[in-house]
């Protein structure tokens, strides 16, 4: 899963969390960022989504960045800014979703959720040639020594994708059916 997919997925998860917590958001006069739903979302982003993104950045960085930059030349502070941006997009998604939910515009919130989810998946459709090949930035730019997608990267993608999907399902379940205060 490339970085752009994670960014759009974080926004979608924020919107989804707001939709799942619609009942709480409508009843509570508190700011949406003080709701229990938001706390659960931040825990999800910080404890699951960002560490999975960091895994891909650390172990498959050039592929993760779609070979647009050489991750060996990216300062670690800039990488940290990218992960903070991921969390901020999740927060922004929650704020957009919460605003729509509080204004009784659930269909709009669902539209935003679907659009951002499709955007996250569209990266996989738009850049298949970059995702099918595994190597370093230099190998990709030079067109040599690339391996086909598989091995450790595929195992990581499947296992981390499964963890993320289970975590997202539990997040929505927890917000929707759990007692969030």
């Amino acid at each position: 899963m490339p970085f752009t997919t994670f960014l759009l997925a974080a926004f979608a998860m924020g919107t989804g969390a707001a939709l799942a917590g619609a009942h709480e958001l409508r009843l509570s006069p508190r700011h949406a960022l003080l709701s229990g739903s938001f706390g659960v979302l931040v825990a999800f982003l910080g404890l699951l989504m960002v560490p999975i993104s960091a895994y891909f950045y650390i172990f498959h960085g050039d592929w993760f960045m779609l070979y647009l930059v050489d991750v060996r030349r990216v300062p670690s502070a800039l990488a940290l800014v990218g992960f903070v941006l991921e969390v901020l997009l999740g927060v922004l998604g929650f704020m957009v979703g919460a605003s729509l939910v509080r204004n009784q515009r659930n269909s709009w919130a669902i539209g935003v959720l679907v659009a951002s989810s499709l955007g996250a998946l569209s990266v996989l459709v738009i850049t298949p040639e970059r995702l099918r090949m595994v190597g370093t930035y230099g190998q990709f730019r030079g067109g040599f020594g690339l391996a086909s997608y598989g091995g450790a990267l595929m195992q990581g993608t499947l296992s981390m994708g499964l963890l993320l999907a289970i975590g997202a399902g539990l997040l929505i379940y927890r917000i929707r059916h759990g007692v969030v205060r």
Side-chain angles (χ1 to χ4, degrees):
M1 292 186 274
F3 186 55
T4 49
T5 299
F6 275 101
L7 293 175
L8 292 165
F11 187 86
M13 285 308 305
T15 307
L19 276 165
H23 184 73
E24 174 195 14
L25 291 169
R26 283 192 194 114
L27 294 178
S28 176
R30 296 186 302 173
H31 194 278
L33 296 183
L34 298 175
S35 68
S37 301
F38 178 72
V40 175
L41 172 68
V42 169
F44 168 80
L45 292 171
L47 296 174
L48 192 63
M49 189 166 249
V50 169
I52 289 174
S53 296
Y55 162 81
F56 283 108
Y57 180 77
I58 293 166
F59 294 107
H60 311 287
D62 293 325
W63 180 85
F64 177 67
M65 298 302 291
L66 298 170
Y67 303 107
L68 297 173
V69 295
D70 185 355
V71 295
R72 292 177 302 158
R73 296 186 176 267
V74 174
S76 58
L78 190 57
L80 178 62
V81 168
F83 295 126
V84 169
L85 176 65
E86 186 177 338
V87 172
L88 290 176
L89 280 172
V91 171
L92 179 63
F94 185 83
M95 292 301 301
V96 168
S99 175
L100 292 170
V101 162
R102 283 187 166 169
N103 290 313
Q104 304 292 320
R105 304 240 189 267
N106 282 14
S107 58
W108 285 74
I110 291 169
V112 169
L113 172 64
V114 169
S116 55
S117 298
L118 288 175
L121 293 174
S122 72
V123 174
L124 306 176
V125 175
I126 293 170
T127 60
E129 70 286 344
R130 292 177 181 266
L131 296 173
R132 273 184 272 191
M133 305 310 289
V134 180
T136 65
Y137 175 83
Q139 288 173 324
F140 184 82
R141 291 293 176 203
F144 67 92
L146 294 168
S148 293
Y149 177 80
L153 177 58
M154 185 165 85
Q155 292 171 1
T157 302
L158 292 174
S159 60
M160 297 299 171
L162 181 63
L163 278 173
L164 198 59
I166 290 170
L170 290 173
L171 166 75
I172 299 303
Y173 178 81
R174 171 70 172 97
I175 293 172
R176 185 101 174 137
H177 300 291
V179 180
V180 180
R181 295 184 183 176

